């Protein structure tokens, strides 16, 4: 019904509306909110604090992804028969129309491969923290959120020193939703483990309080390298790390 609605919509004199894919829909989530509403109230007045449909279908299960506009703003897998709201889009270029090959792996410094993204212009470390070499050998290092931020900022991987922890939109953009097992492309990210990666995006509105009544903690968004959903973990929890930099 949602597909048919957007296909038949005439709005502002335009008739080429469609349901956005999960990457496009995630791009308008406003993670700066600390009051639960995850849409820019000026750009999207009266926006519902709820999940919205994307057009992204899981090949293996026929489930459809939705994006939550309620804190903490995750990605959820749903039955196509569920009844939720939607917002149509037009123009742009869905990720399925991305340049081929979109991702390319190279090794500017021996043992420190990098991955270039032709869509976003980002450069990624080609191995998870703790791994190295052409095939990313070794044992991955799990760390808490503050350690992950410091690790990327202190990294000199591949001869570059301007690495940082990616935000959740950047990190989620690497998930290939058209695979039978949606995840990072193992051809360019040959991690030997199914990792869960920290993003730099806080979700303190969702997690607050203290551990043992002493140490304060909050939450941050994590993208597991399986199914490509978005979850919220405590910042004191351990997760894997994949750093990114913006190519000048």
């Amino acid at each position: 019904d949602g597909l048919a609605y957007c296909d038949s919509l005439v709005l502002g004199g335009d008739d080429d509306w469609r349901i956005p894919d999960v990457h496009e829909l995630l791009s308008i989530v406003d993670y700066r909110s600390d009051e639960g509403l995850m849409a820019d109230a000026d750009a999207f007045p009266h926006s519902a604090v709820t999940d919205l449909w994307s057009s992204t279908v899981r090949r293996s299960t026929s489930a459809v992804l939705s994006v939550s506009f309620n804190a903490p703003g995750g990605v959820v897998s749903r039955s196509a028969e569920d009844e939720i709201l939607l917002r149509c889009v037009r123009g742009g270029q869905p990720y399925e129309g991305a340049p081929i090959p979109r991702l390319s792996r190279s090794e500017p410094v021996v043992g420190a491969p990098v991955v270039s993204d032709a869509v976003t212009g980002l450069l990624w470390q080609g191995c998870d923290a703790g791994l190295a070499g052409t095939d990313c050998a070794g044992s991955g290092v799990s760390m808490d959120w503050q350690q992950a931020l410091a690790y990327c900022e202190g990294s000199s991987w591949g001869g570059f020193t301007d690495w940082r922890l990616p935000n959740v939109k950047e990190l989620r953009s690497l998930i290939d939703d058209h695979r039978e097992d949606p995840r990072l492309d193992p051809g360019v990210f040959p991690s030997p483990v199914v990792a869960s990666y920290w993003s730099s995006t806080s979700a303190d509105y969702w997690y607050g309080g203290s551990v043992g009544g002493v140490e304060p903690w909050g939450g941050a968004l994590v993208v597991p390298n399986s199914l490509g959903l978005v979850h919220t973990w405590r910042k004191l929890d351990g997760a894997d790390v994949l750093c990114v930099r913006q190519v000048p």
Side-chain angles (χ1 to χ4, degrees):
D1 292 340
L3 290 169
Y5 173 84
C6 287
D7 285 344
S8 63
L9 178 64
V10 177
L11 183 66
D14 298 303
D15 61 1
D16 56 345
W17 297 93
R18 56 182 172 82
I19 296 183
D21 68 24
V22 68
H23 301 287
E24 293 170 320
L25 191 54
L26 197 63
S27 75
I28 64 170
V29 177
D30 184 1
Y31 287 102
R32 297 170 299 175
S33 171
D34 59 0
E35 298 178 353
L37 176 64
M38 308 299 287
D40 186 309
D42 293 327
F44 300 104
H46 310 296
S47 181
V49 183
T50 186
D51 286 13
L52 299 181
W53 279 124
S54 83
S55 62
T56 304
V57 179
R58 290 291 192 220
R59 290 178 57 192
S60 58
T61 63
S62 297
V64 185
L65 297 184
S66 67
V67 173
S68 175
F69 281 76
N70 185 19
V75 175
V76 180
S77 183
R78 290 180 170 275
S79 166
E81 281 71 44
D82 288 351
E83 293 187 357
I84 63 172
L85 301 182
L86 61 83
R87 183 185 298 279
C88 306
V89 71
R90 62 180 293 269
Q93 176 178 275
Y95 271 56
E96 52 263 31
I100 303 297
R102 174 189 163 192
L103 301 173
S104 57
R105 186 176 177 88
S106 61
E107 201 165 330
V109 173
V110 175
V114 296
V115 175
S116 176
D117 188 334
V119 170
T120 63
L122 296 172
L123 188 71
W124 296 84
Q125 294 185 354
C127 297
D128 301 358
L131 308 178
T134 301
D135 298 322
C136 295
S139 300
V141 177
S142 178
M143 56 188 81
D144 67 31
W145 188 73
Q146 291 288 352
Q147 291 170 333
L149 290 171
Y151 172 84
C152 288
E153 290 174 1
S155 178
S156 57
W157 186 271
F160 301 106
T161 58
D162 54 348
W163 297 101
R164 57 179 172 80
L165 197 63
N167 65 46
V168 70
K169 297 179 182 181
E170 293 168 330
L171 190 53
R172 180 59 182 71
S173 76
L174 290 178
I175 299 294
D176 183 355
D177 289 295
H178 301 289
R179 295 175 54 87
E180 288 288 345
D181 57 336
R183 55 172 295 187
L184 277 66
D185 184 343
V188 290
F189 292 103
S191 174
V193 297
V194 179
S196 292
Y197 297 109
W198 278 123
S199 79
S200 63
T201 305
S202 286
D204 290 331
Y205 173 84
W206 189 255
Y207 272 122
S210 62
V211 174
V214 179
E215 188 173 3
W217 52 270
L221 296 178
V222 169
V223 177
N225 191 14
S226 61
L227 299 181
L229 306 180
V230 175
H231 302 303
T232 307
W233 287 10
R234 299 187 312 166
K235 289 179 176 176
L236 288 183
D237 291 336
D240 303 282
V241 179
L242 191 66
C243 307
V244 71
R245 63 181 293 267
Q246 181 71 54
V247 178

